[in-house]
Amino acid sequence: MKASQLQKTINYASFFNASLTLEGLHFWLISPKKHSLVEVRNLLTKHPSLKKKIISTKDKYLLKKTRLTNQKIKTVQKLVNVLKIVPSIKLIALTGSLSVNNPKKRDDIDLMIVVTPNTLWLTRPLVIFLTSTLSIRRKPRGMVTTNTICTNLWLDQLNLTVPKNKQNLYTAHEVLQTKPLFDRGGVHQQFVKKNIWTKKYLATAYNQIAKTSKISPLKVSQPNWLIEKLNLLFFKLQYLYMKPKITKEHITLHSAYFHPRNLYLKIKKHLF
């Protein structure tokens, strides 16, 4: 392990105006090899300038972020308790800054939703309706207001792997920092397992998550042909509606990445 890896990890967090504890630095260490907490601590003692950038677990700023995180999770949990009744929904997870305890007061709440195969575009309209009815849904290109709900990542169970052209350090973080709010049948475990490529960027984080997650065989119930045909029809209709607004979003029959911004290049420059 090199000091430059500690520096990159600290720089990555600072890009998002986040601070790291010693444990956080160890967990999110940018390295293709896993390292122990002792190794990180020992290396920090040799580099006082880096050690000064690490905060205590009792830091007031961190405690304030934790309280805000808990408030926002409590807000979205009411919606999750309704959405989990929908039988096609297998996983609802937090993504973005809220999933790593680093939200701002006005931030919206980003969610990843995983559904059974060939039901994504049938499920999505129902989720949009329920979200709009029970909370405040962030509309495409809409203004960000406090606690708006943004379902910006949709996957079905047979498409859990992030596309190769999106596999980079930023996406590795996004994958490993997902925080399940509802998980039917260990789907979050499968999501992590299907994205084992994240190890080459964040080996310690991947191994810690995998170690605490007992990976069970993927059980997928296939919908009948009518459901498949209806899902295809709903996909075509929704795609036609969205097409004029699509920029860099990645949208297919089995997945929808509603992330028009590509932060990776900016982050890469910030690391050095």
Side-chain angles (χ1 to χ4, degrees), residues 26 29 32 37 43 53-54 56-57 78 84 88 94 129-130 134 139 142 167 179 182 197 201 212 220 271:
H26 169 241
L29 184 67
L37 182 61
L43 187 56
K53 297 178 181 179
I54 302 306
S56 163
T57 53
K78 296 175 183 178
K84 68 183 183 182
S88 59
L94 288 173
F129 171 75
L130 291 173
L134 301 173
K139 298 179 181 179
Q167 294 179 8
K179 185 174 183 178
F182 167 70
W197 60 269
Y201 297 103
T212 57
V220 180
L271 294 183

Side-chain angles (χ1 to χ4, degrees), residues 35-255:
H35 295 280
S36 69
L37 182 61
V38 173
E39 288 180 273
V40 173
R41 183 187 291 115
N42 290 343
L43 187 56
L44 270 180
T45 59
K46 299 176 183 178
H47 297 274
S49 61
L50 294 179
K51 190 174 181 179
K52 288 179 181 178
K53 297 178 181 179
I54 302 306
I55 65 173
S56 163
T57 53
K58 296 181 181 180
D59 183 87
K60 290 182 179 179
Y61 176 79
L62 180 61
L63 294 175
K64 183 179 178 181
K65 289 285 186 179
T66 300
R67 286 194 296 269
L68 182 57
T69 296
N70 292 336
Q71 289 170 7
K72 285 179 174 286
I73 290 177
K74 186 177 180 180
T75 298
V76 73
Q77 192 63 55
K78 296 175 183 178
L79 174 64
V80 171
N81 289 339
V82 175
L83 293 181
K84 68 183 183 182
I85 298 172
V86 180
S88 59
I89 293 178
K90 307 297 285 187
L91 173 68
I92 304 172
L94 288 173
T95 64
S97 60
L98 185 57
S99 65
V100 285
N101 200 40
N102 187 43
K104 297 181 181 67
K105 189 173 182 179
R106 283 181 57 83
D107 279 356
D108 55 6
I109 299 172
D110 296 325
L111 297 178
M112 173 179 76
I113 297 181
V114 179
V115 299
T116 53
N118 297 304
T119 63
L120 194 161
W121 300 98
L122 287 173
T123 306
R124 185 171 175 268
L126 178 57
V127 169
I128 289 175
F129 171 75
L130 291 173
T131 303
S132 301
T133 303
L134 301 173
S135 58
I136 305 172
R137 184 178 75 89
R138 183 182 174 187
K139 298 179 181 179
R141 311 289 184 269
M143 293 289 292
V144 177
T145 57
T146 305
N147 292 344
T148 52
I149 307 297
C150 184
T151 51
N152 57 13
L153 177 54
W154 288 82
L155 303 171
D156 79 20
Q157 280 183 278
L158 295 180
N159 290 268
L160 298 178
T161 307
V162 171
K164 285 191 175 182
N165 66 334
K166 290 182 173 291
Q167 294 179 8
N168 53 50
L169 175 60
Y170 171 67
T171 314
H173 259 274
E174 292 295 301
V175 168
L176 296 178
Q177 70 190 38
T178 52
K179 185 174 183 178
L181 297 176
F182 167 70
D183 188 357
R184 199 194 316 266
V187 174
H188 183 256
Q189 300 167 9
Q190 294 297 334
F191 175 64
V192 172
K193 181 181 178 183
K194 289 291 184 179
N195 288 285
I196 193 172
W197 60 269
T198 57
K199 283 180 67 175
K200 74 176 181 179
Y201 297 103
L202 302 164
T204 301
Y206 177 86
N207 279 280
Q208 286 204 22
I209 293 171
K211 183 175 67 175
T212 57
S213 299
K214 184 179 178 182
I215 305 296
S216 55
L218 182 61
K219 296 179 180 180
V220 180
S221 55
Q222 291 286 354
N224 60 42
W225 67 270
L226 179 58
I227 296 295
E228 290 185 26
K229 295 295 184 184
L230 284 173
N231 186 63
L232 178 59
L233 174 62
F234 273 57
F235 167 65
K236 291 179 178 179
L237 292 173
Q238 290 174 70
Y239 188 84
L240 284 173
Y241 172 78
M242 293 184 293
K243 191 174 181 180
K245 305 173 186 177
I246 294 173
T247 54
K248 296 180 180 179
E249 295 86 347
H250 179 85
I251 300 171
T252 71
L253 180 62
H254 302 289
S255 64

